[in-house]
Amino acid sequence: MAPIDRCLASMARLSLTQFSQVARPSATSIPRFLAPALLQRRRASVVRIKKTVKKRPLPKDFKRHNLEKTQFPRFSLCEAMRILRAVEVGQPPASIKYEIHVNLKTSRNGPVIKNSIRLPHPVQSDWQIAVVCPEGSDIATAATAAGAVAVGEEALFEAIRKEEIEFDRLICHESSEKALNKAGLGKILGPKGLMPSKRMKTIVTDVAKSIRDSAGAADFRERQGVIHMAIGQLGYTPDQLKANVQALLKKVKSDCSDISEESSKEVHEVILSSTHGPALSLSGKFRDEDDEVAPEALSHVM
């Protein structure tokens, strides 16, 4: 008879063999809700709610400060010229210009002012003018005699397409208006402010007269409620600068009155500066009583 320990060992080996032959269910066949907690470990998804910030709507009109309540000083024309001339000491007077900024009380979406003016004392008198007119015609001959640097249609259009623009102003005769529109030069001439239009009085019937009137003329346009342009050279006398400022303001006020009542415009502030100088708000006076410098002291060449 075999010992009892050998019998127990053989029975243990038999039970292990039978247990190993039993098919175990795979992990994938186990339903997820019966799987151990270790197999169900997942990261919670974080949902971030973006806070939408409402943008404040822009005001209907451009913001303008109350000049009576502001603490910024305002200067007479002679005092402003004295300060700007002191800043520009050492600079060539012919290359330095007085610049004027006219702030308007106007709406953002209203019509803008765009025009040209011939100042009593032109800032730039050497305009290079080109004329769009039929080539070889009497109009082209008259334009050349009046001082036009380039005349014609197709040859002039081709030079503009190549951006060989060697003129400061472009005038179009009314007989060539269709040819100009057909050429499609608005993308080139528009950003430079050279595209002829009837509103700017650059599409004319008398080319020679327009060239004579354009000599010394200056264009101005309202941008963001402000009109900016050169108003004089540094060597101008106070009387010359005063005449130019008055002529411009008269023209701007006239254009403001021509606009419909739905979009009212009016002059709010006039600021004078120079090429490298600060911006000085003008008080509307030629000279204050307490000014230390007389107009005669600003009349000499720098």
Side-chain angles (χ1 to χ4, degrees):
M1 185 174 178
I4 188 66
D5 54 349
R6 291 184 181 180
C7 294
L8 293 175
S10 61
M11 293 179 63
R13 283 195 299 269
L14 180 60
S15 61
L16 289 173
T17 304
Q18 293 177 354
F19 181 76
S20 61
Q21 291 179 355
V22 177
R24 295 183 180 182
S26 60
T28 56
S29 63
I30 301 176
R32 283 187 78 175
F33 63 89
L34 295 178
L38 294 176
L39 298 179
Q40 290 186 348
R41 184 182 301 169
R42 293 182 301 174
R43 294 183 180 180
S45 58
V46 179
V47 179
R48 296 181 180 179
I49 301 175
K50 295 182 179 180
K51 295 182 179 180
T52 57
V53 180
K54 294 183 179 179
K55 295 182 179 180
R56 295 182 179 179
L58 293 174
K60 182 180 179 181
D61 299 334
F62 289 102
K63 184 178 180 180
R64 295 292 180 256
H65 298 284
N66 190 341
L67 299 177
E68 298 180 356
K69 295 182 179 180
T70 55
Q71 299 179 355
F72 297 104
R74 304 181 70 189
F75 302 89
S76 65
L77 182 61
C78 289
E79 182 66 16
M81 290 181 65
R82 182 186 73 86
I83 296 173
L84 295 176
R85 283 168 69 103
V87 173
E88 301 289 0
V89 167
Q91 300 291 340
S95 63
I96 304 300
K97 305 242 180 341
Y98 288 113
E99 299 173 356
I100 194 169
H101 312 261
V102 182
N103 291 341
L104 302 175
K105 283 185 177 180
T106 179
S107 60
R108 294 178 180 271
N109 299 326
V112 299
I113 294 176
K114 181 181 179 182
N115 209 334
S116 62
I117 182 175
R118 187 175 183 180
L119 297 172
H121 305 280
V123 181
Q124 182 179 356
S125 58
D126 53 345
W127 286 105
Q128 303 291 324
I129 300 175
V131 178
V132 179
C133 61
E135 298 178 2
S137 62
D138 296 337
I139 301 172
T141 304
T144 304
V149 296
V151 295
E153 290 182 352
E154 293 301 328
L156 184 58
F157 296 158
E158 187 63 24
I160 294 174
R161 291 189 187 99
K162 295 179 180 178
E163 296 190 359
E164 297 175 356
I165 300 176
E166 299 179 354
F167 51 84
D168 304 305
R169 181 162 301 190
L170 184 63
I171 297 175
C172 178
H173 191 264
E174 60 180 7
S175 62
S176 299
E177 183 179 359
K178 292 183 179 179
L180 177 64
N181 295 333
K182 187 177 179 180
L185 301 174
K187 293 182 179 180
I188 301 175
L189 298 175
K192 300 179 184 297
L194 297 174
M195 188 65 185
S197 65
K198 292 184 179 180
R199 181 181 177 184
M200 292 295 296
K201 299 180 180 180
T202 48
I203 297 179
V204 297
T205 57
D206 191 346
V207 173
K209 181 178 181 300
S210 179
I211 292 175
R212 290 192 297 268
D213 294 341
S214 298
D219 297 332
F220 63 89
R221 179 174 181 172
E222 173 192 350
R223 289 182 174 86
Q224 299 293 321
V226 180
I227 295 174
H228 164 74
M229 66 174 292
I231 199 65
Q233 296 181 0
L234 193 64
Y236 279 15
T237 64
D239 292 327
Q240 290 175 325
L241 194 62
K242 174 186 176 182
N244 284 357
V245 172
Q246 288 180 340
L248 176 62
L249 292 179
K250 182 178 179 181
K251 185 71 173 177
V252 170
K253 291 178 180 179
S254 176
D255 292 343
C256 290
S257 62
D258 293 340
I259 296 178
S260 61
E261 296 180 356
E262 297 178 359
S263 302
S264 61
K265 290 179 181 289
E266 61 178 352
V267 176
H268 175 68
E269 185 181 14
V270 180
I271 298 173
L272 185 68
S273 65
S274 61
T275 304
H276 305 98
L280 305 176
S281 179
L282 299 180
S283 62
K285 298 180 180 180
F286 180 69
R287 181 171 182 252
D288 290 331
E289 296 180 356
D290 55 349
D291 282 352
E292 299 179 358
V293 181
E296 292 78 11
L298 300 172
S299 301
H300 63 277
V301 180
M302 292 185 63

